[in-house]
Amino acid sequence: MDARAMLAVAVEEARLGSAAGGIPIGAALFTADGVLLGRGHNRRVQDGDASAHAETAAFRAAGRRRTYRDTVLVTTLSPCWYCSGLVRQFGIPRVVVGEARTFRGGQDWLAEHGVAIELLDDDGCARMMAAFTTAHPDLWSEDIGRN
């Protein structure tokens, strides 16, 4: 499965989150050869849980594994520092990012520490986030810790 096909799963999750009144960020965890392990979307608003990020939801949905060194994390938006820490903690070697125009997060730090970052610069992901941040600037500031 190629990066764009994997991103489509994360985009579907972002749309589900948005439809439920949440922040439109989605993620999915795959094996290196493209088998879907888990998927999820940001649920901070819906669950009242500051740690309910999309990447965390996908990671949790994947369940326990002995190692994550054969996985790919795909996310519609550059991972924040919290989710970047998850990538480093569990040794996820590759992250596919839909867009980093809205928020750059920790992707450069991840790359400096050997994580392969594939930035797709997807216009659809960027439009989805631009619409959200314009409509909900206070909620966006809260989500990225800038309130």
Side-chain angles (χ1 to χ4, degrees):
M1 179 178 280
D2 74 2
R4 292 257 174 214
M6 290 188 287
L7 180 63
V9 175
V11 168
E12 184 179 330
E13 282 294 327
R15 290 183 179 139
L16 289 171
S18 182
I23 299 165
I25 303 170
L29 188 68
F30 292 87
T31 63
D33 57 356
V35 175
L36 178 63
L37 298 171
R39 56 190 286 166
H41 52 270
N42 186 302
R43 295 192 52 86
R44 293 183 75 249
V45 174
Q46 299 92 314
D47 294 351
D49 178 353
S51 70
H53 291 210
E55 297 87 345
T56 307
F59 183 78
R60 288 177 179 155
R64 183 175 171 222
R65 296 177 54 87
R66 186 172 184 274
T67 183
Y68 295 86
R69 298 199 185 281
D70 63 340
T71 63
V72 179
L73 180 65
V74 182
T75 180
T76 57
L77 183 66
S78 179
C80 70
W81 289 102
Y82 170 68
C83 295
S84 294
L86 180 141
V87 169
R88 287 289 314 279
Q89 174 70 31
F90 292 97
I92 297 171
R94 179 177 169 217
V95 177
V96 174
V97 177
E99 70 103 347
R101 300 176 209 171
T102 306
F103 180 75
R104 191 132 183 115
Q107 75 181 46
D108 295 331
W109 176 75
L110 288 171
E112 289 169 10
H113 289 88
V115 176
I117 302 294
E118 185 174 352
L119 177 58
L120 299 180
D121 197 29
D122 183 82
D123 286 331
C125 289
R127 282 192 305 273
M128 184 168 36
M129 286 307 300
F132 177 80
T133 60
T134 299
H136 306 283
D138 292 340
L139 185 55
W140 175 239
S141 291
E142 175 191 325
D143 190 61
I144 59 173
R146 293 188 184 154
N147 49 349

